Amino acid sequence: PHGLVHTPVFMPVGTQGTIKGLTSEQVKACGCRLILANTYHLGNRPGGEVLEQLGGVHKLMSWDGNLLTDSGGFQMVSLLKLAKITEKGVLFQSPVNGSEMLLTPEKSMQIQNQIGADIMMALDDVCPSTCDDYKRFVEASDRTLRWIDRCIKAHKNKHRQNLYGIVQGGLDAKLRDYSLKEMIKRDLPGYAIGGLAGGEDKALFWRVVKQCCDVLPKDKPRYLMGVGYTLDLV
């Protein structure tokens, strides 16, 4: 709805509805047509209802380009000490005031629908790539698939907002292959490669990226999550 985006492209991060240090006009002047915001942080402050009343994040930040919203899944890693993960969802304790938010797949979809993002990420179970518990990776991969089905069911604005699924599986080739095949079966508008850029060796990182790119549909966008270092881009 907000114009074409030519790939490959790097998305600047505007976690709370702003690119720090730049106005929306300056971001646009740089040639950027796609930025990223975060569902958990925006859902926490100012809240989905407020954003919906304002007309979404596009209106909030006077941005006429495209917007992608992270589902809040990464906060399972960045705010791990303040989060409790269950099959129902993730119970977060706010790092700002200590208030609790239960972020379920349904709640993530609700907030992202209210935000009005052009691309919405499904809530996934994120296990750090450096974790040494294989059973945890299996659990996260299976739960991510169960959660994508809940996200698809809860998504209320399919004609204007595209829901992307996230491939998990850690650094294990068989788990990645399983997650890839199952996610592709959902026939989504686009796919993301998740669970990387968490401190793993670069050789392992690129091996998984290649494995995923070789299998994911070539005619749909592929989003490599979490990268931003110069070496990753080139």
Side-chain angles (χ1 to χ4, degrees), residues 112-141:
Q112 292 186 77
N113 283 150
Q114 292 170 324
I115 287 172
D118 301 276
I119 300 172
M120 303 163 47
M121 303 309 302
L123 185 65
D124 57 334
D125 187 352
V126 183
C127 183
S129 58
T130 53
C131 175
D132 58 4
D133 184 352
Y134 178 75
K135 291 183 178 179
R136 176 69 185 101
F137 281 113
V138 173
E139 176 187 53
S141 299

Side-chain angles (χ1 to χ4, degrees), residues 3-131:
L4 292 174
V5 176
H6 297 285
T7 58
V9 65
F10 174 75
M11 282 187 295
V13 176
T15 299
Q16 299 188 54
T18 178
I19 304 294
K20 293 182 179 178
L22 294 174
T23 66
S24 294
E25 291 78 8
Q26 289 171 323
V27 174
K28 185 177 180 180
C30 292
C32 177
R33 298 301 299 157
L34 175 63
I35 62 174
L36 181 150
N38 183 271
T39 298
Y40 167 73
H41 289 293
L42 286 170
N44 201 21
R45 294 187 304 170
E49 290 75 17
V50 172
L51 289 169
E52 188 172 29
Q53 291 172 11
L54 290 171
V57 170
H58 286 91
K59 291 286 184 66
L60 174 70
M61 62 183 299
S62 297
W63 174 249
D64 64 358
N66 290 276
L67 177 70
L68 178 148
T69 39
D70 186 10
S71 64
F74 178 70
Q75 277 61 54
M76 293 182 206
V77 177
S78 64
L79 299 177
L80 182 60
K81 293 181 180 180
L82 301 173
K84 180 181 179 181
I85 306 168
T86 67
E87 186 63 28
K88 187 174 183 179
V90 190
L91 182 64
F92 287 107
Q93 183 179 14
S94 170
V96 178
N97 58 19
S99 63
E100 291 187 339
M101 175 197 288
L102 178 60
L103 188 65
T104 64
E106 293 79 12
K107 183 66 173 179
S108 179
M109 292 297 97
Q110 178 189 346
I111 296 172
Q112 292 186 77
N113 283 150
Q114 292 170 324
I115 287 172
D118 301 276
I119 300 172
M120 303 163 47
M121 303 309 302
L123 185 65
D124 57 334
D125 187 352
V126 183
C127 183
S129 58
T130 53
C131 175

